Every structure is written in C-alpha cells, then in structure tokens.
C-alpha cells in the first residue's frame, strides 16, 4: 500500500463567501447556514457567481458533527470550523445518539434541497466521512488513544456514525439530490497511515458505500480524489476511466449520468476543479 499515489488536493474543504454576496442577499453567514430558505438562496447565488452546474449545500464539513452535538463557529472567510468537541472523556461516549434529522441545521439542509429542486436546480449534497466526523465529535487525542487501546469503543462509535451517514444520504436522495460529494479529509491514507486506514478508516467508508449503493437511484456519489485513491490503494475499490462530453466537469458528470444510468460512484478528482479532458473515473466497490 503506497501513499505516493494519493490524489493531491489543491482545493479547500470550505466555501468562501464574500461580504458582497451576503449583503446582496441581506443575510448573515450564520443564518444562511441554519435556515433552509436562506441556505437555498445563498447556494443559488454562489452557483451563479462561480459559474458551476450544481447548487451545493451545506457550505462546509461540520454539519454532521454539529448534529452529533459539537459546536461550530460560522466564518464566511476562513470557513466553518468545530469550536468544541461534544465528547472529551470515555464516559461521555455512551451519550452519543444517532443523528436526529427532524431538527437543527441538518434538517434545514435537507429542506434546502427540496427548495432548490422545486426551483428546477441541480443539487450537490456535501457529506463528510466517518473519521472526520469522529475526530470532530471526540477530542482528537482521545479518539486515537482509543484506536490504540479500546477498539470496541471506537467500532461502536463508528457504527453510530455510519448508521447516520446512510440515513443522511438516503434522505438526500429522497429529497432529489443529483450528486453527493463525499469527502473524509481527516481519514485518508496519507493522513492516518496505512495501518489505521486498512483496519479502520477505509473499511468504515466502504461499509457506508455498500449500504447506500442500492438506494442511490438517479443520484451519484462523487468521492473526493484523496478518499477514492486511498480506497483503491487499499484494494477496496477498482477504478475505470470513461469518456463523455460537456463544457465543464459538472456537465460531463451530468451527461454521463444520462448516458449510463448504472453509474453510482465517481472519484479520483475534485468536484471543485475543472479538467482539460472529458473523462471521468468510475469506481466499483469490492
């Protein structure tokens, strides 16, 4: 297993929003992260401003950890970040419940998808991978101490996270999302190392993918290039290059979806970057 072949990411995990756009909409960035209608408005404005195919929600990778109980600082310039982890000791791990999708920011995100689809938009749902969520709801040092000394506790925590991710993706699909952008920035092979990736991170992500594969319908999961190449280096997926057409990467994806209704997972690239050719990399789960 080599980390040399891991995709080099040059993008940011967060969306930067200018004061001009927020002033135009007459909304604060925090409100736009918490109210479905304002979220949809900002997503539409960002789509127009960036000249992209998809309206993207949410605007960061903190939504799931927020729903699990961690606190978030909303920052339109530096990006949203976790301010305080929900769990700081082993005893508190038992208090972690699966995500309640009927309330809070994560509920508003799902509602914003419906708002956008009703307006005729194509929608991309940002979904965060299990290790990034785990290290955002549990103090980082505690989490990796448990990885070394109490895997049963870690496996139980990841089980709750995986269950919630499967439900989140399923609800996104049911709301009409066109594409799920899946990234696990804190859980890639080059970050956690070969042993933790092979034993923990990669397998957790693969379990989520296998459970949602049958419910995707017309939706496609776009796997962050770092995550997809980590999975392939670990022997958990195979990849194959295909060609399509379009004036942008998003258009190429949408055109290939209409040409090949069986495509479920795409990877080895960044959804925020353009490509010089008209190719995609399809990923097959093993």
């Amino acid at each position: 297993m080599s980390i040399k072949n891991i995709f080099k990411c040059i993008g940011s995990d967060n969306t930067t929003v200018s004061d001009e756009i927020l002033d135009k909409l007459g909304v604060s960035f925090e409100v736009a992260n918490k109210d479905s209608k304002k979220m949809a408005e900002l997503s539409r404005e960002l789509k127009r401003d960036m000249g992209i195919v998809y309206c993207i929600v949410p605007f960061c990778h903190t939504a799931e950890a927020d729903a699990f109980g961690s606190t978030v600082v909303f920052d339109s310039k530096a990006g949203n970040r976790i301010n305080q982890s929900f769990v700081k000791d082993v005893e508190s791990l038992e208090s972690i419940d699966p995500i309640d999708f009927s309330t809070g920011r994560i509920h508003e995100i799902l509602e914003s998808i419906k708002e956008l689809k009703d307006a005729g938009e194509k929608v991309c749902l940002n979904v965060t991978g299990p290790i990034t969520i785990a290290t955002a709801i549990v103090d980082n040092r505690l989490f990796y101490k448990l990885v070394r000394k109490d895997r049963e506790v870690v496996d139980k925590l990841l089980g709750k996270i995986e269950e919630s991710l499967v439900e989140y993706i399923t609800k996104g699909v049911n709301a009409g999302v066109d594409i799920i952008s899946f990234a696990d920035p804190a859980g890639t092979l080059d970050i956690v190392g070969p042993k933790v990736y092979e034993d923990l991170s990669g397998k957790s992500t693969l379990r989520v993918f296998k459970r949602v594969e049958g419910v995707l319908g017309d939706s496609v999961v776009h796997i962050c290039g770092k995550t997809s190449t980590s999975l392939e280096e670990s022997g958990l997926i195979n990849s194959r290059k295909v060609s399509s057409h379009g004036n942008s990467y998003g258009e190429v994806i949408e055109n290939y979806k209409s040409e090949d209704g069986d495509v479920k997972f795409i990877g080895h690239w960044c959804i925020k970057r353009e490509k010089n050719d008209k190719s995609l990399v399809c990923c097959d789960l093993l």
Side-chain angles (χ1 to χ4, degrees), residues 78-195:
N80 300 342
R81 63 189 183 278
I82 300 298
N83 182 45
Q84 188 172 9
S85 301
F86 179 62
V87 172
K88 291 185 172 56
D89 54 65
V90 178
E91 292 72 24
S92 300
L93 280 167
E94 290 298 323
S95 64
I96 295 178
D97 295 318
I99 291 175
D100 179 359
F101 291 94
S102 67
T103 187
R105 178 157 68 115
I106 207 153
H107 171 73
E108 297 298 316
I109 290 166
L110 293 169
E111 289 299 305
S112 76
I113 295 171
K114 298 175 187 176
E115 296 261 350
L116 290 163
K117 293 302 295 182
D118 287 345
E121 299 285 0
K122 292 192 178 298
V123 184
C124 172
L125 173 64
N126 278 332
V127 173
T128 308
I131 300 301
T132 303
I133 296 173
T135 54
I137 60 178
V138 179
D139 177 82
N140 210 294
R141 288 170 296 181
L142 173 61
F143 177 77
Y144 281 105
K145 179 181 178 181
L146 293 171
V147 167
R148 295 190 305 272
K149 297 187 175 180
D150 199 340
R151 276 291 302 278
E152 185 177 346
V153 170
V154 172
D155 289 343
K156 188 175 180 180
L157 169 64
L158 289 178
K160 292 179 181 179
I161 292 172
E162 291 165 20
E163 192 72 35
S164 292
L165 283 175
V166 170
E167 186 174 357
Y168 190 23
I169 291 170
T170 302
K171 286 183 178 296
V173 170
N174 292 340
V177 72
D178 297 276
I179 191 164
I180 295 111
S181 178
F182 185 98
D184 195 7
T188 54
L189 178 59
D190 56 328
I191 298 297
V192 301
K195 179 171 175 47

Side-chain angles (χ1 to χ4, degrees), residues 227-244:
T227 298
S228 64
T229 51
S230 293
L231 288 166
E232 184 160 45
E233 282 297 305
S234 303
L236 299 174
I237 64 169
N238 282 333
S239 68
R240 51 193 169 87
K241 195 172 184 178
V242 299
S243 297
S244 187

